[in-house]
Amino acid sequence: KQKVSWLELAPVLAIFGITFGVIGYVYSMYGSTFFLPPGYFDYKWTAEQWREHLDADGRTMLLIGGPHKSGTTILWDAIRQHPELSSFGDSFDTGVSYSEGILMQSVYPKFGIGMEFRRDNANKMEGLGKYALANENLVHWTEDRPEAKQMENLALLMNRFAPFWDNVNATVLVEKSPPNAVISRFLDALYNVNSTSNRPVTKFLFITRHPIANAYSHEKVLLGQVKFNHLLENYIKVHEYMITDMPKLRNKPKLVRLEDFAIKPSETLKSIFEWLGVDSSDEIVHDILYNKLSRPVEHDPNAKYRKIWCQKKINKANEEIKVFQNRLLKLKLGYDMVGWCDGYSFDVDEKSGDEFDEL
Protein backbone atom coordinates (compact mmCIF):
# COMPACT_ATOMS: atom_id res chain seq x y z
CA LYS A 1 0.00 0.00 0.00
CA GLN A 2 1.22 3.43 -0.94
CA LYS A 3 1.51 5.83 1.98
CA VAL A 4 -0.02 9.29 1.70
CA SER A 5 2.23 12.01 3.00
CA TRP A 6 1.04 14.96 5.09
CA LEU A 7 2.25 17.20 2.29
CA GLU A 8 -0.21 15.61 -0.12
CA LEU A 9 -3.03 16.02 2.39
CA ALA A 10 -2.21 19.67 3.02
CA PRO A 11 -4.56 21.14 0.33
CA VAL A 12 -7.48 19.03 1.58
CA LEU A 13 -6.81 19.95 5.18
CA ALA A 14 -6.53 23.60 4.21
CA ILE A 15 -9.93 23.48 2.51
CA PHE A 16 -11.47 21.83 5.55
CA GLY A 17 -9.82 24.38 7.81
CA ILE A 18 -11.09 27.33 5.79
CA THR A 19 -14.58 25.84 5.54
CA PHE A 20 -14.90 25.23 9.26
CA GLY A 21 -13.38 28.64 9.95
CA VAL A 22 -16.03 30.36 7.83
CA ILE A 23 -18.81 28.28 9.41
CA GLY A 24 -17.48 29.13 12.86
CA TYR A 25 -17.35 32.83 12.04
CA VAL A 26 -20.90 32.86 10.63
CA TYR A 27 -22.15 30.96 13.68
CA SER A 28 -20.48 33.45 16.02
CA MET A 29 -22.31 36.27 14.22
CA TYR A 30 -25.72 34.77 13.47
CA GLY A 31 -26.12 31.67 15.62
CA SER A 32 -27.78 28.41 14.64
CA THR A 33 -30.84 30.18 13.12
CA PHE A 34 -28.72 31.19 10.12
CA PHE A 35 -28.22 27.54 9.15
CA LEU A 36 -31.85 26.48 9.55
CA PRO A 37 -34.55 26.79 6.85
CA PRO A 38 -36.75 29.91 6.99
CA GLY A 39 -39.77 29.28 9.14
CA TYR A 40 -38.15 26.56 11.23
CA PHE A 41 -39.29 28.24 14.46
CA ASP A 42 -42.55 29.70 13.12
CA TYR A 43 -45.65 29.73 15.30
CA LYS A 44 -48.74 28.01 13.89
CA TRP A 45 -51.38 30.49 14.99
CA THR A 46 -54.26 31.33 12.67
CA ALA A 47 -54.88 34.83 11.38
CA GLU A 48 -57.94 35.07 13.62
CA GLN A 49 -55.87 34.15 16.68
CA TRP A 50 -53.35 36.87 15.88
CA ARG A 51 -56.12 39.41 15.26
CA GLU A 52 -57.61 38.68 18.68
CA HIS A 53 -54.19 38.74 20.33
CA LEU A 54 -53.20 42.11 18.86
CA ASP A 55 -56.53 43.72 19.69
CA ALA A 56 -56.48 42.48 23.31
CA ASP A 57 -55.12 44.19 26.43
CA GLY A 58 -54.25 47.50 24.75
CA ARG A 59 -51.37 45.88 22.88
CA THR A 60 -49.23 48.01 20.54
CA MET A 61 -47.05 47.12 17.55
CA LEU A 62 -44.18 49.61 17.60
CA LEU A 63 -42.55 49.86 14.17
CA ILE A 64 -39.22 51.71 13.94
CA GLY A 65 -37.86 53.07 10.65
CA GLY A 66 -35.83 55.76 8.97
CA PRO A 67 -32.91 56.02 6.57
CA HIS A 68 -30.17 53.45 7.08
CA LYS A 69 -27.17 54.75 9.04
CA SER A 70 -29.38 57.20 10.93
CA GLY A 71 -29.32 55.53 14.35
CA THR A 72 -32.29 53.16 14.09
CA THR A 73 -30.33 50.40 15.81
CA ILE A 74 -28.96 52.36 18.76
CA LEU A 75 -32.38 53.90 19.42
CA TRP A 76 -33.98 50.43 19.15
CA ASP A 77 -31.35 49.01 21.48
CA ALA A 78 -32.24 51.61 24.10
CA ILE A 79 -36.00 51.26 23.71
CA ARG A 80 -36.01 47.47 23.88
CA GLN A 81 -34.49 47.55 27.38
CA HIS A 82 -37.81 48.80 28.78
CA PRO A 83 -39.50 46.08 30.87
CA GLU A 84 -42.91 46.62 29.26
CA LEU A 85 -41.55 46.23 25.72
CA SER A 86 -40.63 43.04 23.90
CA SER A 87 -38.22 43.06 20.98
CA PHE A 88 -36.05 40.66 19.03
CA GLY A 89 -32.72 39.59 20.45
CA ASP A 90 -29.43 40.41 18.75
CA SER A 91 -28.20 39.02 15.42
CA PHE A 92 -26.99 35.81 17.10
CA ASP A 93 -30.59 35.16 18.18
CA THR A 94 -32.36 36.14 14.95
CA GLY A 95 -29.86 35.02 12.31
CA VAL A 96 -30.09 38.32 10.39
CA SER A 97 -28.06 41.53 10.41
CA TYR A 98 -29.03 44.02 13.12
CA SER A 99 -32.12 41.88 13.90
CA GLU A 100 -34.14 43.68 11.24
CA GLY A 101 -37.56 42.14 10.74
CA ILE A 102 -37.60 42.92 7.03
CA LEU A 103 -34.77 40.42 6.51
CA MET A 104 -36.70 37.65 8.31
CA GLN A 105 -40.03 37.78 6.43
CA SER A 106 -41.44 37.07 2.95
CA VAL A 107 -44.61 39.20 2.87
CA TYR A 108 -43.08 42.40 1.50
CA PRO A 109 -39.83 43.23 -0.37
CA LYS A 110 -36.40 43.30 1.24
CA PHE A 111 -35.29 45.94 -1.29
CA GLY A 112 -31.94 44.22 -1.85
CA ILE A 113 -30.75 45.07 1.67
CA GLY A 114 -27.74 42.88 2.48
CA MET A 115 -27.08 42.10 -1.20
CA GLU A 116 -25.06 45.25 -1.95
CA PHE A 117 -21.86 43.47 -2.96
CA ARG A 118 -23.41 40.94 -5.32
CA ARG A 119 -22.03 41.35 -8.82
CA ASP A 120 -25.48 41.50 -10.43
CA ASN A 121 -26.60 44.25 -8.05
CA ALA A 122 -24.32 46.99 -9.37
CA ASN A 123 -26.80 48.43 -11.87
CA LYS A 124 -29.96 47.78 -9.87
CA MET A 125 -31.70 50.34 -7.68
CA GLU A 126 -31.53 48.04 -4.67
CA GLY A 127 -29.66 47.89 -1.40
CA LEU A 128 -28.21 50.51 0.92
CA GLY A 129 -28.01 54.03 -0.39
CA LYS A 130 -30.13 53.57 -3.51
CA TYR A 131 -33.19 51.36 -2.96
CA ALA A 132 -35.51 54.38 -2.72
CA LEU A 133 -34.44 55.46 -6.22
CA ALA A 134 -36.29 52.57 -7.84
CA ASN A 135 -39.71 53.14 -9.41
CA GLU A 136 -42.19 54.35 -6.80
CA ASN A 137 -44.54 51.39 -7.27
CA LEU A 138 -41.68 49.07 -6.26
CA VAL A 139 -40.64 51.05 -3.19
CA HIS A 140 -43.51 53.08 -1.82
CA TRP A 141 -46.03 50.52 -0.55
CA THR A 142 -49.35 51.79 0.81
CA GLU A 143 -52.70 50.47 1.99
CA ASP A 144 -53.70 50.09 -1.67
CA ARG A 145 -51.51 47.02 -2.07
CA PRO A 146 -53.65 43.83 -2.16
CA GLU A 147 -51.14 42.19 0.20
CA ALA A 148 -52.22 44.63 2.92
CA LYS A 149 -55.79 43.34 2.84
CA GLN A 150 -55.08 39.64 3.32
CA MET A 151 -55.40 38.18 6.80
CA GLU A 152 -53.11 35.29 5.87
CA ASN A 153 -50.29 37.80 5.39
CA LEU A 154 -50.79 39.06 8.93
CA ALA A 155 -50.49 35.47 10.16
CA LEU A 156 -47.39 34.84 8.03
CA LEU A 157 -45.70 37.91 9.45
CA MET A 158 -46.63 37.38 13.08
CA ASN A 159 -45.86 33.65 13.04
CA ARG A 160 -42.39 34.45 11.67
CA PHE A 161 -41.65 37.20 14.18
CA ALA A 162 -43.23 35.63 17.27
CA PRO A 163 -40.45 33.15 18.21
CA PHE A 164 -37.94 36.00 18.36
CA TRP A 165 -39.86 38.26 20.73
CA ASP A 166 -38.83 37.47 24.30
CA ASN A 167 -42.45 37.91 25.42
CA VAL A 168 -45.21 37.74 22.83
CA ASN A 169 -47.71 38.85 25.50
CA ALA A 170 -45.91 42.12 26.23
CA THR A 171 -47.76 45.44 26.17
CA VAL A 172 -45.61 46.65 23.27
CA LEU A 173 -44.13 44.42 20.57
CA VAL A 174 -41.23 46.06 18.72
CA GLU A 175 -39.99 45.55 15.16
CA LYS A 176 -37.20 47.64 13.66
CA SER A 177 -36.30 47.92 9.97
CA PRO A 178 -35.14 51.17 8.32
CA PRO A 179 -37.34 50.65 5.20
CA ASN A 180 -40.43 50.81 7.43
CA ALA A 181 -40.12 54.50 6.56
CA VAL A 182 -41.27 53.88 2.97
CA ILE A 183 -43.87 51.16 3.63
CA SER A 184 -45.50 52.58 6.77
CA ARG A 185 -48.97 52.89 5.27
CA PHE A 186 -48.82 49.30 4.03
CA LEU A 187 -47.77 48.02 7.46
CA ASP A 188 -50.36 50.22 9.16
CA ALA A 189 -53.08 48.60 7.05
CA LEU A 190 -51.77 45.05 7.40
CA TYR A 191 -51.37 45.04 11.19
CA ASN A 192 -54.89 46.48 11.54
CA VAL A 193 -56.57 44.36 8.85
CA ASN A 194 -60.09 43.21 9.84
CA SER A 195 -59.71 44.72 13.30
CA THR A 196 -62.96 45.33 15.16
CA SER A 197 -61.22 47.44 17.80
CA ASN A 198 -61.66 51.21 17.85
CA ARG A 199 -57.99 51.48 18.79
CA PRO A 200 -55.31 51.05 16.07
CA VAL A 201 -52.60 48.65 17.24
CA THR A 202 -49.76 50.33 15.31
CA LYS A 203 -47.44 53.16 16.27
CA PHE A 204 -44.53 54.34 14.13
CA LEU A 205 -41.28 55.77 15.45
CA PHE A 206 -38.98 57.32 12.85
CA ILE A 207 -35.41 58.52 13.34
CA THR A 208 -33.36 60.65 10.99
CA ARG A 209 -29.91 62.22 10.75
CA HIS A 210 -28.22 65.11 8.93
CA PRO A 211 -28.10 64.19 5.21
CA ILE A 212 -24.38 64.82 4.69
CA ALA A 213 -23.36 62.76 7.73
CA ASN A 214 -25.79 60.07 6.62
CA ALA A 215 -24.30 59.99 3.11
CA TYR A 216 -20.72 59.81 4.43
CA SER A 217 -21.69 56.98 6.77
CA HIS A 218 -23.15 55.06 3.81
CA GLU A 219 -20.06 55.80 1.73
CA LYS A 220 -17.82 54.27 4.39
CA VAL A 221 -19.80 51.02 4.41
CA LEU A 222 -20.38 50.78 0.65
CA LEU A 223 -16.71 51.42 -0.21
CA GLY A 224 -17.57 53.98 -2.88
CA GLN A 225 -19.96 51.74 -4.81
CA VAL A 226 -22.69 54.41 -4.82
CA LYS A 227 -21.98 57.99 -5.85
CA PHE A 228 -22.30 60.66 -3.17
CA ASN A 229 -25.04 62.55 -4.99
CA HIS A 230 -27.02 59.30 -5.35
CA LEU A 231 -26.72 58.77 -1.60
CA LEU A 232 -28.13 62.25 -1.03
CA GLU A 233 -30.90 61.63 -3.56
CA ASN A 234 -31.79 58.35 -1.84
CA TYR A 235 -31.92 60.14 1.53
CA ILE A 236 -34.29 62.77 0.13
CA LYS A 237 -36.55 60.17 -1.51
CA VAL A 238 -36.84 58.11 1.69
CA HIS A 239 -37.88 61.24 3.57
CA GLU A 240 -40.28 62.45 0.91
CA TYR A 241 -42.15 59.15 1.11
CA MET A 242 -41.96 59.11 4.91
CA ILE A 243 -43.08 62.71 5.50
CA THR A 244 -45.89 62.41 2.96
CA ASP A 245 -47.22 59.27 4.64
CA MET A 246 -46.98 60.33 8.28
CA PRO A 247 -50.28 62.30 8.41
CA LYS A 248 -52.10 59.32 6.86
CA LEU A 249 -51.17 56.82 9.59
CA ARG A 250 -53.85 55.70 12.06
CA ASN A 251 -51.93 56.82 15.15
CA LYS A 252 -49.84 59.97 15.22
CA PRO A 253 -46.22 58.90 14.58
CA LYS A 254 -43.16 60.25 16.35
CA LEU A 255 -40.05 61.60 14.59
CA VAL A 256 -36.72 61.77 16.41
CA ARG A 257 -33.46 63.28 15.17
CA LEU A 258 -30.30 61.35 16.01
CA GLU A 259 -28.57 64.57 16.99
CA ASP A 260 -31.27 65.35 19.57
CA PHE A 261 -31.09 61.83 20.98
CA ALA A 262 -27.30 62.14 21.23
CA ILE A 263 -27.43 65.48 23.03
CA LYS A 264 -30.43 64.74 25.26
CA PRO A 265 -30.83 60.95 25.50
CA SER A 266 -32.78 61.03 28.76
CA GLU A 267 -35.32 63.57 27.54
CA THR A 268 -35.69 61.77 24.20
CA LEU A 269 -36.30 58.35 25.75
CA LYS A 270 -38.70 59.79 28.30
CA SER A 271 -40.78 61.45 25.58
CA ILE A 272 -40.89 58.20 23.57
CA PHE A 273 -42.06 56.18 26.57
CA GLU A 274 -44.71 58.80 27.39
CA TRP A 275 -45.91 58.65 23.77
CA LEU A 276 -46.10 54.84 24.02
CA GLY A 277 -48.03 55.03 27.29
CA VAL A 278 -45.53 52.98 29.31
CA ASP A 279 -43.57 53.81 32.47
CA SER A 280 -41.45 56.87 31.69
CA SER A 281 -40.03 57.43 35.17
CA ASP A 282 -36.56 58.87 35.61
CA GLU A 283 -35.48 55.61 37.26
CA ILE A 284 -36.41 53.55 34.19
CA VAL A 285 -34.68 55.93 31.77
CA HIS A 286 -31.52 56.21 33.91
CA ASP A 287 -31.28 52.43 34.28
CA ILE A 288 -31.53 51.93 30.52
CA LEU A 289 -28.97 54.57 29.57
CA TYR A 290 -26.38 53.92 32.26
CA ASN A 291 -26.78 50.26 33.20
CA LYS A 292 -28.25 48.35 30.28
CA LEU A 293 -26.72 49.87 27.15
CA SER A 294 -23.39 48.32 26.21
CA ARG A 295 -21.86 51.74 25.46
CA PRO A 296 -22.76 55.35 26.15
CA VAL A 297 -24.48 57.48 23.53
CA GLU A 298 -21.93 59.68 21.75
CA HIS A 299 -22.59 63.41 22.20
CA ASP A 300 -21.86 64.39 18.56
CA PRO A 301 -22.40 61.53 16.08
CA ASN A 302 -21.66 63.75 13.06
CA ALA A 303 -18.41 65.38 14.20
CA LYS A 304 -15.92 63.61 11.94
CA TYR A 305 -18.16 63.89 8.87
CA ARG A 306 -18.78 67.58 9.43
CA LYS A 307 -15.01 68.05 9.64
CA ILE A 308 -14.47 66.23 6.33
CA TRP A 309 -17.21 68.22 4.61
CA CYS A 310 -16.09 71.58 5.93
CA GLN A 311 -12.41 71.00 5.13
CA LYS A 312 -13.40 70.35 1.52
CA LYS A 313 -14.92 73.85 1.49
CA ILE A 314 -17.80 72.79 -0.71
CA ASN A 315 -18.90 75.79 -2.79
CA LYS A 316 -22.18 77.10 -1.39
CA ALA A 317 -23.16 78.08 -4.93
CA ASN A 318 -22.81 74.48 -6.13
CA GLU A 319 -25.99 73.99 -8.15
CA GLU A 320 -26.40 70.33 -7.18
CA ILE A 321 -26.14 71.12 -3.47
CA LYS A 322 -28.61 73.99 -3.89
CA VAL A 323 -31.14 71.61 -5.45
CA PHE A 324 -30.79 69.16 -2.55
CA GLN A 325 -30.95 72.05 -0.09
CA ASN A 326 -34.26 73.27 -1.51
CA ARG A 327 -35.80 69.80 -1.30
CA LEU A 328 -34.38 69.30 2.19
CA LEU A 329 -35.90 72.53 3.49
CA LYS A 330 -39.34 71.45 2.22
CA LEU A 331 -39.12 68.39 4.47
CA LYS A 332 -38.87 70.66 7.55
CA LEU A 333 -36.43 68.37 9.37
CA GLY A 334 -34.44 71.28 10.77
CA TYR A 335 -31.29 70.47 8.76
CA ASP A 336 -29.16 72.77 6.62
CA MET A 337 -26.64 71.64 4.02
CA VAL A 338 -25.43 74.96 2.68
CA GLY A 339 -24.77 76.48 6.12
CA TRP A 340 -23.53 73.35 7.89
CA CYS A 341 -19.99 74.76 8.21
CA ASP A 342 -20.94 78.21 9.47
CA GLY A 343 -19.06 78.92 12.71
CA TYR A 344 -17.52 75.45 12.69
CA SER A 345 -14.36 74.56 14.66
CA PHE A 346 -12.05 71.87 13.26
CA ASP A 347 -10.90 70.64 16.66
CA VAL A 348 -12.77 67.31 16.74
CA ASP A 349 -11.96 63.72 17.55
CA GLU A 350 -11.55 61.66 14.35
CA LYS A 351 -13.26 58.67 16.00
CA SER A 352 -16.21 60.63 17.32
CA GLY A 353 -19.46 59.02 16.30
CA ASP A 354 -17.94 55.72 15.15
CA GLU A 355 -20.62 53.65 16.89
CA PHE A 356 -23.31 55.27 14.75
CA ASP A 357 -21.63 54.10 11.53
CA GLU A 358 -22.68 50.55 12.35
CA LEU A 359 -26.32 51.44 12.83
Side-chain angles (χ1 to χ4, degrees):
K1 294 181 180 179
Q2 187 176 359
K3 291 184 177 181
V4 179
S5 69
W6 283 107
L7 190 60
E8 291 173 303
L9 288 174
V12 177
L13 295 172
I15 292 171
F16 274 106
I18 293 171
T19 301
F20 284 110
V22 170
I23 292 173
Y25 173 76
V26 172
Y27 176 79
S28 70
M29 294 287 291
Y30 300 111
S32 59
T33 305
F34 181 89
F35 300 98
L36 296 171
Y40 185 84
F41 296 109
D42 280 12
Y43 277 29
K44 306 298 181 185
W45 290 19
T46 66
E48 290 71 25
Q49 285 176 305
W50 278 117
R51 181 72 277 150
E52 182 180 356
H53 184 74
L54 288 174
D55 287 343
D57 303 321
R59 192 160 285 114
T60 296
M61 274 295 310
L62 174 61
L63 300 159
I64 301 174
H68 288 89
K69 306 301 171 189
S70 66
T72 52
T73 298
I74 195 166
L75 183 62
W76 163 78
D77 193 30
I79 289 170
R80 70 181 179 133
Q81 309 298 334
H82 194 289
E84 295 178 58
L85 275 62
S86 178
S87 187
F88 304 151
D90 58 22
S91 295
F92 186 84
D93 301 311
T94 61
V96 298
S97 296
Y98 303 112
S99 297
E100 293 179 359
I102 195 171
L103 302 178
M104 299 161 61
Q105 56 76 49
S106 58
V107 173
Y108 44 90
K110 297 179 175 67
F111 302 113
I113 305 303
M115 301 289 112
E116 289 78 14
F117 293 98
R118 281 180 47 168
R119 187 175 298 178
D120 61 348
N121 195 51
N123 297 317
K124 294 180 180 179
M125 289 304 164
E126 294 182 348
L128 293 179
K130 58 179 181 175
Y131 78 90
L133 303 181
N135 291 334
E136 181 173 357
N137 65 308
L138 299 176
V139 178
H140 186 210
W141 281 38
T142 70
E143 66 278 358
D144 295 329
R145 296 286 308 195
E147 296 91 338
K149 303 167 186 177
Q150 299 168 7
M151 282 282 283
E152 56 266 34
N153 283 335
L154 175 65
L156 281 172
L157 203 57
M158 295 301 292
N159 282 330
R160 179 59 52 85
F161 290 163
F164 301 100
W165 280 311
D166 46 33
N167 178 13
V168 77
N169 295 310
T171 304
V172 181
L173 299 173
V174 185
E175 189 277 311
K176 179 266 300 182
S177 298
N180 288 348
V182 300
I183 60 172
S184 61
R185 284 164 60 189
F186 167 79
L187 295 175
D188 199 33
L190 180 57
Y191 281 112
N192 289 286
V193 64
N194 287 8
S195 175
T196 58
S197 171
N198 59 4
R199 181 195 63 86
V201 303
T202 42
K203 283 194 173 183
F204 287 84
L205 174 61
F206 300 116
I207 183 167
T208 188
R209 183 184 193 177
H210 193 285
I212 295 172
N214 185 264
Y216 273 130
S217 187
H218 272 84
E219 197 173 52
K220 179 179 178 180
V221 173
L222 293 171
L223 306 177
Q225 280 196 120
V226 182
K227 293 180 180 179
F228 196 82
N229 64 323
H230 289 167
L231 295 172
L232 289 175
E233 176 70 23
N234 186 77
Y235 173 97
I236 295 292
K237 289 300 295 183
V238 167
H239 284 82
E240 286 175 344
Y241 292 140
M242 184 179 81
I243 297 297
T244 299
D245 290 347
M246 285 174 65
K248 301 175 182 178
L249 298 174
R250 286 169 170 81
N251 271 320
K252 186 177 180 180
K254 189 171 185 64
L255 177 62
V256 172
R257 302 195 316 170
L258 175 61
E259 296 82 2
D260 297 332
F261 177 53
I263 294 172
K264 298 180 178 180
S266 296
E267 291 89 335
T268 302
L269 275 189
K270 189 176 183 67
S271 70
I272 291 171
F273 294 149
E274 288 174 347
W275 168 71
L276 283 172
V278 297
D279 187 350
S280 59
S281 64
D282 293 340
E283 292 77 13
I284 287 280
V285 172
H286 185 276
D287 185 46
I288 289 172
L289 289 173
Y290 300 103
N291 296 326
K292 293 185 175 177
L293 283 183
S294 59
R295 53 191 173 185
V297 178
E298 183 71 40
H299 181 70
D300 187 354
N302 299 335
K304 65 178 180 180
Y305 296 130
R306 194 176 178 198
K307 181 177 182 179
I308 294 169
W309 178 260
C310 297
Q311 284 180 331
K312 285 185 175 181
K313 297 181 180 178
I314 304 296
N315 189 344
K316 291 185 180 182
N318 182 293
E319 290 303 317
E320 194 167 53
I321 296 302
K322 285 169 66 177
V323 170
F324 285 126
Q325 170 82 343
N326 291 337
R327 292 172 67 187
L328 178 67
L329 294 178
K330 289 179 182 178
L331 295 171
K332 299 180 180 179
L333 298 172
Y335 293 130
D336 180 14
M337 294 175 66
V338 171
W340 203 34
C341 298
D342 293 349
Y344 178 66
S345 169
F346 289 101
D347 185 21
V348 287
D349 180 2
E350 292 290 346
K351 294 183 179 180
S352 180
D354 273 354
E355 72 269 29
F356 293 100
D357 292 338
E358 303 171 12
L359 312 175

